[in-house]
Amino acid sequence: ADWNDPQYVHSPIVKAKQPDDSNHPATEEAVHKSSYPLNEYMLARGFASVFAGAIGTRGSDGIRITCAPEETESAAAVIEWLHGDRIAYTDRTRSVQTKADWCNGNIGMTGRSYLGTLQIAIATTGVKGLKTVVSEAAISSWYDYYREHGLVIAPEACQGEDLDLLAETCQSNLWDAGSYLKIKPEYDKMQKELLTKEDRETGQYSNFWEARNYRHHADGIKCSWISVHGLNDWNVKPKNVYKIWQLVKKMPMKHHLFLHQGPHYNMNNFVSIDFTDLMNLWFVLELLGIENNAYKQWPTVMIQDNLQADKWHEEKDWSNELGQKKTYYPTDDGELFQDGNGKAQQSFVDEGGIEFKKADISESDWLYKFICGDEKWAKPSLRFETDEFIHPTTIVGRPEVKVRVKGSLPKGQISVALVELGERRRLTATPKFLMRGGQELGYRFGTDTLQEFVPDKKTKAKLITKAHMNLQNYKDMKRPEKIDADKFYDLDFLLQPTYYTLPSGSTLALIIYSTDEGMTKRPLEEETYTVDLANTEIKFYEK
């Protein structure tokens, strides 16, 4: 990104006069903030917990330029103050300073989603004093959150949301009348800029998204690293953690990865793993400097099993290299085999969002009916199934699909899903509450509810992974090409990473379709897609 580009340059920081060396308590107060139980657990063990408002949030100045470099810089300033490298003032007059003299200068960060994302952003600055991060369900590239392979892709259950709307939601300094009157004109201007530059018309990569890709600055990371992510997180999709992990794992600092079976979720109160205890050991070593063998207490990567929640796989890495490459080919009669392509050209008619709009069902209901092969919803797709697996097989890393396809219009989108078929009791989608107050955070302190995934009612199918691609990006993922109707194009793209065990007796299905009612745009028009099976395959890694 060109940091001198006007889109990245805003009002200059007004310097305050240098205060004397005295230290005073702050008069500003954080309000309406709830604590995270992991932080409460740490409070009871002698650590301090710090809450800091971002630019544009209530009580602060500025505009929510969601995830822009300005946000990273302002958040890193808090670490600098805690480390003793920046002056903080007691109030907005900026005449009397307050010091973090209670801090030993070693800082760790925790938090999920946006808070986890800020940890990645700040860590890439290499700011002094940041010793470790425990980044949960975090975004490493905002393009990978709102876009995919040249398409506008929604976070799960957030169809229509985009970066400008997230900025609007987070612009909480508009809640107060005085701030509203002061900030509103600049806020309105920034909203128009965000709406234009995020480009919902095409979904293509640009300098705007480049500036919001923290992975390009990963070489600045100096602190130790813990990532936590759900393998079924379709809000912050798994490739956000997978891609940053491929960089972090090669760096000299200590690094760990936890992958659980949940969606956009924490894991600090799971029954199957003593995560809070592990994090206590980690912070005692990283922030207090007390040698307690924390580095050797658990393996580099821990992955929760999708068949038995109390089973955690101990791995050295999470990548394709964990397995052996297998290639499957779709056949003319709807089977998926390791030897021999089909020869036919098969078609389906995509109706976009026409029928979905009429049906008035939820996106989750649509997804389950679709992957199960419900006649109405599976009709606009091609489905290919393997024979039953005779022994458990685990798919690891990122599957890759190659599809030769043509559309009846000079535009189009292709989606691909891998699905496990077979009626059985699968784990609950979210952890079940097992004991309220069952996890004590400290003696006569707070408590948390113990939770865990448990076998649930029988279901017919489970989504393993999927991905989507714009036909116009067949040559280059970052640049669209003009395409013609009724002309074949070769698509080659990666699915979301996974670690999924297929039990014996189950079947693997490859589904090729277009409109994903839960994630892609829903065009209100029909398009016929034709797939050349002789030039179509799915490649993944088994262990």
Side-chain angles (χ1 to χ4, degrees):
D2 179 4
W3 302 114
N4 294 315
D5 190 308
Q7 67 176 314
Y8 305 131
V9 180
H10 300 282
S11 301
I13 297 174
V14 179
K15 291 187 177 181
K17 63 181 182 181
Q18 285 291 108
D20 59 34
D21 197 44
S22 59
N23 183 26
H24 300 268
T27 56
E28 299 288 340
E29 185 177 344
V31 294
H32 308 302
K33 305 299 179 187
S34 60
S35 187
Y36 169 33
L38 178 61
N39 293 348
E40 293 290 300
Y41 183 88
M42 295 303 169
L43 278 175
R45 284 153 182 80
F47 295 92
S49 184
V50 177
F51 291 85
I55 51 174
T57 57
R58 193 175 191 186
S60 69
D61 297 318
I63 304 296
R64 294 298 305 149
I65 326 165
T66 308
C67 51
E70 292 91 336
E71 180 176 65
T72 301
E73 182 180 350
S74 66
V78 178
I79 307 294
E80 292 174 330
W81 169 64
L82 290 168
H83 190 249
D85 302 325
R86 183 177 288 271
I87 295 173
Y89 302 93
T90 59
D91 57 27
R92 289 171 177 269
T93 65
R94 293 194 290 185
S95 57
V96 180
Q97 71 170 309
T98 183
K99 297 180 180 180
D101 52 4
W102 43 266
C103 181
N104 69 356
N106 297 330
I107 299 101
M109 297 184 71
T110 63
R112 175 173 61 92
S113 196
Y114 208 138
L115 299 181
T117 302
L118 280 173
Q119 293 178 59
I120 296 178
I122 296 171
T124 63
T125 69
V127 61
K128 292 180 180 178
L130 183 59
K131 298 298 183 180
T132 192
V133 296
V134 181
S135 177
E136 302 174 272
I139 297 165
S140 62
S141 165
W142 285 84
Y143 185 87
D144 288 344
Y145 184 64
Y146 284 121
R147 305 287 185 269
E148 184 179 25
H149 302 145
L151 291 176
V152 173
I153 300 294
E156 185 179 46
C158 299
Q159 267 284 16
E161 190 213 299
D162 216 317
L163 197 138
D164 64 308
L165 294 180
L166 181 59
E168 178 183 353
T169 300
C170 297
Q171 189 77 36
S172 55
N173 63 3
L174 295 179
W175 296 354
D176 298 315
S179 296
Y180 182 91
L181 294 173
K182 178 182 177 182
I183 295 294
K184 191 66 163 56
E186 184 66 21
Y187 163 75
D188 289 339
K189 178 183 176 182
M190 181 55 63
Q191 279 290 294
K192 290 179 181 178
E193 286 188 27
L194 292 177
L195 183 60
T196 300
K197 291 172 181 174
E198 71 192 15
D199 182 19
R200 282 188 65 84
E201 293 299 315
T202 70
Q204 295 297 319
Y205 200 77
S206 64
N207 275 351
F208 176 83
W209 295 109
E210 177 81 359
R212 291 160 170 79
N213 187 342
Y214 308 125
R215 297 192 295 262
H216 291 321
H217 308 287
D219 57 356
I221 298 172
K222 302 295 187 293
C223 61
S224 64
W225 191 278
I226 293 178
S227 280
V228 179
H229 214 96
L231 286 164
N232 293 290
D233 189 343
W234 293 102
N235 184 301
V236 178
K237 301 169 193 68
K239 73 177 177 181
N240 273 282
V241 67
Y242 185 86
K243 286 185 174 183
I244 192 72
W245 175 253
Q246 305 312 311
L247 301 174
V248 168
K249 72 182 185 183
K250 300 174 184 176
M251 297 179 180
M253 72 283 190
K254 290 296 180 180
H255 47 266
H256 288 279
L257 173 64
F258 292 88
L259 298 172
H260 59 79
Q261 285 299 319
H264 199 56
Y265 226 78
N266 300 114
M267 58 173 283
N268 54 287
N269 54 355
F270 284 5
V271 171
S272 61
I273 187 170
D274 294 323
F275 183 72
T276 48
D277 288 337
L278 295 179
M279 293 305 98
N280 183 40
L281 286 171
W282 188 258
F283 283 124
V284 165
L285 175 58
E286 292 294 303
L287 304 188
L288 301 183
I290 299 174
E291 180 54 55
N292 56 12
N293 214 27
Y295 288 159
K296 299 179 181 179
Q297 289 296 313
W298 68 92
T300 303
V301 178
M302 295 195 70
I303 305 176
Q304 189 175 30
D305 191 71
N306 60 284
L307 302 178
Q308 305 172 58
D310 59 353
K311 178 180 179 181
W312 285 78
H313 300 273
E314 300 182 355
E315 301 284 6
K316 294 181 179 180
D317 190 14
W318 181 37
S319 66
N320 293 341
E321 283 66 37
L322 290 180
Q324 294 183 330
K325 183 170 67 175
K326 302 289 184 180
T327 304
Y328 286 76
Y329 304 94
T331 67
D332 298 347
D333 54 2
E335 294 181 310
L336 194 62
F337 284 153
Q338 289 190 55
D339 51 347
N341 290 63
K343 305 300 180 186
Q345 294 179 3
Q346 296 187 356
S347 302
F348 64 92
V349 179
D350 179 71
E351 298 178 329
I354 298 173
E355 289 302 317
F356 180 78
K357 188 176 182 180
K358 292 178 184 176
D360 193 29
I361 64 172
S362 69
E363 294 160 6
S364 58
D365 285 346
W366 166 82
L367 178 61
Y368 181 67
K369 290 176 182 292
F370 175 73
I371 64 174
C372 288
D374 178 88
E375 183 177 357
K376 175 181 175 63
W377 298 109
K379 186 177 179 181
S381 67
L382 300 178
R383 300 169 63 91
F384 307 93
E385 300 177 16
T386 64
D387 291 333
E388 290 185 357
F389 283 79
I390 59 176
H391 55 77
T393 300
T394 302
I395 300 175
V396 298
R398 295 197 70 181
E400 179 182 2
V401 67
K402 295 182 179 181
V403 182
R404 178 168 289 179
V405 61
K406 67 178 180 180
S408 58
L409 301 174
K411 59 180 180 179
Q413 57 187 12
I414 284 293
S415 300
V416 170
L418 276 181
V419 174
E420 180 224 325
L421 300 177
E423 188 169 352
R424 65 179 180 87
R425 295 181 69 196
R426 295 176 172 85
L427 297 180
T428 48
T430 56
K432 181 180 179 181
F433 285 9
L434 300 180
M435 183 185 298
R436 292 188 181 277
Q439 183 185 47
E440 293 187 357
L441 304 178
Y443 180 63
R444 292 185 178 178
F445 201 61
T447 61
D448 199 6
T449 299
L450 286 173
Q451 305 179 63
E452 193 51 82
F453 303 96
V454 297
D456 200 7
K457 61 184 179 182
K458 288 185 176 181
T459 54
K460 296 179 180 179
K462 173 74 171 65
L463 174 68
I464 300 173
T465 182
K466 61 181 176 179
H468 320 275
M469 184 173 174
N470 187 344
L471 267 63
Q472 291 180 264
N473 289 86
Y474 73 97
K475 275 188 179 180
D476 189 337
M477 289 296 181
K478 294 185 178 180
R479 186 172 55 200
E481 303 280 342
K482 181 180 178 181
I483 63 172
D484 299 321
D486 296 318
K487 180 179 178 180
F488 278 107
Y489 295 94
D490 290 309
L491 308 185
D492 187 345
F493 57 103
L494 299 172
L495 280 65
Q496 292 289 334
T498 190
Y499 188 107
Y500 190 92
T501 301
L502 296 150
S504 57
S506 64
T507 300
L508 180 66
L510 168 67
I511 306 176
I512 301 174
Y513 60 115
S514 178
T515 300
D516 187 307
E517 309 296 350
M519 292 194 176
T520 66
K521 284 186 174 181
R522 306 166 184 159
L524 298 178
E525 60 184 347
E526 292 185 357
E527 181 167 8
T528 299
Y529 292 92
T530 302
V531 175
D532 179 6
L533 299 186
N535 293 278
T536 297
E537 64 184 47
I538 180 80
K539 183 190 307 176
F540 52 82
Y541 296 80
E542 296 179 359
K543 64 172 295 190

